[in-house]
């Protein structure tokens, strides 16, 4: 059976990993990744398309000139994209892999909280590995999404699918929503898990080295005995 200290530290890391898993599910499921206002010219008018979307779905509204709302509708991101679809799919794949990594990390921390696995990789090494993988994949998703929105003009492409007879693109404004910023919390939880396991591993290593100290460092009365 593991010591009380090991159980408490790995249980704390387990809670962080489970929270990370839940938050990745929330990130994938919610459509509040970005809100964009994209302006286009039209014959004798200026049209503003207001979009709020995530990786799978979104909503768009059309405003003409002085704020007259013409229409509002829901769309599927994959169906409305062509040029930037591949990168959107890549972000989904990256987050699914991060989800699996978080699940594995949760399993490893739970195993160590209730037992002492004899395989090295099932111990702290495995927790380090899967937490690091989850954190790196989450960071990649955070980088790729703005690249797709602003570098590949994803909002402009989606806006053109929401309306017809749009001509020149006049400008865009983007604001990233809570679904996107939650990934910062996921990164924090992964780092917290790594720190907890590092302190446990460091304390265990120090205790082991103390037990293996050379005989010349032992008290003289013990040596004489």
């Amino acid at each position: 059976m593991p010591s009380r200290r090991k159980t408490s530290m790995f249980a704390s890391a387990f809670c962080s990993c489970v929270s990370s898993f839940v938050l990745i599910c929330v990130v994938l499921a919610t459509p509040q990744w970005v809100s964009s206002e994209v302006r286009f010219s039209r014959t004798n008018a200026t049209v503003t398309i207001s979009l709020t979307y995530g990786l799978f779905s979104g909503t768009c509204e059309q405003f003409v000139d002085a704020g007259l709302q013409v229409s509002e509708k829901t769309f599927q991101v994959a169906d409305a994209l062509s040029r930037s679809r591949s990168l959107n799919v890549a972000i989904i794949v990256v987050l699914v892999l991060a989800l699996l990594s978080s699940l594995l990390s949760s399993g490893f921390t739970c195993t160590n909280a209730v037992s002492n696995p004899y395989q090295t990789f099932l111990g702290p090494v495995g927790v380090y590995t899967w937490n690091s993988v989850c954190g790196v994949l989450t960071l990649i998703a955070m980088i790729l999404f703005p690249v797709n929105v602003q570098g590949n003009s994803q909002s402009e492409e989606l806006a053109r699918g929401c309306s017809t007879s749009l001509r020149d693109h006049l400008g865009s404004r983007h604001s990233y929503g809570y679904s996107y910023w939650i990934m910062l919390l996921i990164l924090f939880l992964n780092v917290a898990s790594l720190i907890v396991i590092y302190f446990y591993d460091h304390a265990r290593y120090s205790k082991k080295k103390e037990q293996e100290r050379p005989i010349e460092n032992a008290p003289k009365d013990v040596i004489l005995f």
Side-chain angles (χ1 to χ4, degrees), residues 173-186:
R173 184 173 61 184
H174 310 288
S175 175
Y176 295 94
Y178 70 84
S179 299
Y180 177 80
W181 295 115
I182 281 176
M183 289 191 285
L184 283 178
L185 181 55
I186 295 170

Side-chain angles (χ1 to χ4, degrees), residues 56-141:
F56 298 100
S57 63
T59 58
C60 63
E61 298 175 298
Q62 179 178 337
F63 299 90
V64 180
D65 287 338
L68 176 63
Q69 182 178 346
V70 176
S71 61
E72 177 181 2
K73 66 178 181 178
T74 301
F75 61 89
Q76 297 299 312
V77 173
D79 296 337
L81 292 177
S82 57
R83 185 178 66 253
S84 57
R85 181 184 299 173
S86 58
L87 193 52
N88 190 71
V89 172
I91 295 169
I92 295 172
V93 171
V94 166
L95 284 176
V96 169
L97 292 176
L99 187 69
L100 294 176
S101 300
S102 183
L103 182 62
L104 286 170
S105 184
S106 300
F108 277 44
T109 51
C110 182
T111 300
N112 282 270
V114 299
S115 65
N116 291 313
Y118 62 88
Q119 296 96 336
T120 303
F121 189 71
L122 291 179
V125 174
V127 179
Y128 287 144
T129 301
W130 293 117
N131 269 278
S132 299
V133 169
C134 181
V136 169
L137 290 173
T138 303
L139 183 60
I140 290 173

Side-chain angles (χ1 to χ4, degrees), residues 138-164:
T138 303
L139 183 60
I140 290 173
M142 288 195 72
I143 294 171
L144 290 181
F145 187 74
V147 168
N148 207 23
V149 171
Q150 296 176 245
N152 287 344
S153 302
Q154 180 175 250
S155 293
E156 179 185 343
E157 187 176 358
L158 291 171
R160 289 187 181 277
C162 290
S163 183
T164 58

Side-chain angles (χ1 to χ4, degrees), residues 9-23 102 105-106 109 131 185-186 188-194 196:
M9 296 191 79
F10 273 93
S12 300
F14 172 74
C15 292
S16 295
C17 294
V18 170
S19 299
S20 176
F21 177 84
V22 172
L23 288 176
S102 183
S105 184
S106 300
T109 51
N131 269 278
L185 181 55
I186 295 170
F188 171 79
L189 289 171
N190 280 278
V191 171
S193 299
L194 290 173
V196 169

